[in-house]
Amino acid sequence: MPLEFSSSDDAPSREHVFGVLTDDDCRAIIATLEEPRTVAETAEEIDRPLSTTYRKLDRLTEAGLVRETVGVGRSRSRKSRYVADFDRVAIGLDDDRSLRVDVENSSDPLVGLWTQDS
């Protein structure tokens, strides 16, 4: 179901969504998050420092493009993992010719579920 970010006070602004999509590191992170990953796994995959990866994941989460999940592994430790939470982003014009950002969130109810312990 598409979300029109340009019309809701609770949703991220279109500028915020544009900003993360134009950031090379954010796009690299999105490309790695088909399956849930920890911050450390993500940082290693994109070859960036943990501090940068945390900051970019925060931006992506605020933009509604990534979801943070918390799971409990076999050792009963709690650990956050992140997963991309959208299928499509569309940028277009409304009838009044103003920019609009639609994000189609994942329809997979299992997005973000994980059980492995690392």
Side-chain angles (χ1 to χ4, degrees):
M1 166 189 248
L3 299 175
E4 183 182 329
F5 279 167
S6 56
S7 66
S8 172
D9 292 336
D10 294 334
S13 70
R14 63 179 172 255
E15 291 83 6
H16 190 78
V17 176
F18 286 145
V20 297
L21 291 175
T22 60
D23 182 298
D24 291 337
D25 289 338
C26 287
R27 287 194 317 272
I29 289 171
I30 289 169
T32 69
L33 294 180
E34 276 190 44
E35 296 180 7
R37 291 181 181 265
T38 64
V39 175
E41 292 167 340
T42 305
E44 184 177 328
E45 181 71 25
I46 67 168
D47 194 27
R48 296 290 183 271
L50 281 173
S51 59
T52 299
T53 306
Y54 272 110
R55 190 172 59 252
K56 302 300 180 170
L57 283 167
D58 283 345
R59 290 185 67 203
L60 287 161
T61 302
E62 290 169 4
L65 301 177
V66 166
R67 183 184 338 165
E68 179 181 8
T69 63
V70 179
V72 178
R74 287 185 290 266
S75 65
R76 297 187 183 182
S77 62
R78 294 174 56 97
K79 189 178 282 190
S80 290
R81 293 185 188 243
Y82 295 82
V83 64
D85 190 29
F86 70 97
D87 293 321
R88 185 175 72 93
V89 175
I91 300 168
L93 295 174
D94 283 333
D95 293 337
D96 64 356
R97 308 288 294 163
S98 61
L99 282 176
R100 168 188 175 136
V101 176
D102 294 312
V103 176
E104 188 175 316
N105 290 97
S106 177
S107 58
D108 183 352
L110 300 178
V111 165
L113 291 181
W114 58 276
T115 57
Q116 68 185 18
D117 191 23
S118 50

